[in-house]
Amino acid sequence: MSAQTTLILLKPDCVSKGLCGEVLKRFESAGFVIRGMKMIQLTDEVLKDHYSHIADKPFFPEVANFMKSVPVIALALSGDNVIERVRTLLGPTDSRKADKGTIRGDYGGDMMVNVAHASDSPENAEAELKRFFKADEIFAR
């Protein structure tokens, strides 16, 4: 196993439904360590950068409006193979396809309203952590 740090964004649906504590509890119960956490209001500029792979799609404005609707909570989460293990704990991106017992299966609604974003690779985790956290906002434990 390898120690990694990943980015998690607790999305507007998670925040507005008061599910942040439950999601954090599941992450900590799985043995992950919170190394950074903050609430932020996302901007069009950050969203275009973060979602650059879909920024030219016709549905992007809907995604951007959703992600700006309520401040999100950004987490820097560490642990052995955290990227893969968090994605398993969350379940598939489309909550309608997620098994009960996964975070998205229990609390998500669909492809966009799915509780959390999680980095999908070590390279993306590194870039995404830099996008949402300054170096002095991620702490060692």
Side-chain angles (χ1 to χ4, degrees), residues 113-127:
V113 180
N114 64 4
V115 185
H117 162 84
S119 301
D120 62 1
S121 69
E123 298 77 21
N124 284 340
E126 183 178 349

Side-chain angles (χ1 to χ4, degrees), residues 5-97:
T5 302
T6 192
L7 175 84
I8 307 295
L9 294 178
L10 300 182
K11 291 182 166 186
D13 57 309
C14 185
V15 174
S16 64
K17 291 178 183 174
L19 298 172
C20 298
E22 176 59 33
V23 174
L24 287 170
K25 180 180 176 182
R26 289 195 189 192
F27 289 150
E28 288 186 311
S29 293
F32 304 129
V33 175
I34 297 170
R35 294 190 48 217
M37 181 167 65
K38 64 182 176 177
M39 182 174 263
I40 55 174
Q41 181 66 57
L42 297 177
T43 63
D44 285 325
E45 181 181 349
V46 168
L47 288 166
K48 284 179 186 170
D49 187 29
H50 186 65
Y51 290 113
S52 61
H53 60 289
I54 62 166
D56 62 346
K57 303 289 185 195
F59 58 85
F60 177 72
E62 183 182 359
V63 172
N65 288 336
F66 169 68
M67 292 299 291
K68 293 185 305 184
S69 67
V70 171
V72 301
I73 295 177
L75 297 171
L77 204 63
S78 292
D80 288 334
N81 292 322
V82 70
I83 295 167
E84 179 184 343
R85 291 174 55 215
V86 160
R87 293 181 66 81
T88 299
L89 189 62
L90 284 171
T93 302
D94 188 341
S95 298
R96 296 168 293 200
K97 297 178 181 175

Side-chain angles (χ1 to χ4, degrees), residues 102-131:
T102 64
I103 293 169
R104 289 178 175 145
D106 292 345
Y107 304 117
D110 56 34
M111 188 78 159
M112 179 173 57
V113 180
N114 64 4
V115 185
H117 162 84
S119 301
D120 62 1
S121 69
E123 298 77 21
N124 284 340
E126 183 178 349
E128 291 175 354
L129 286 163
K130 287 178 183 175
R131 182 175 300 127

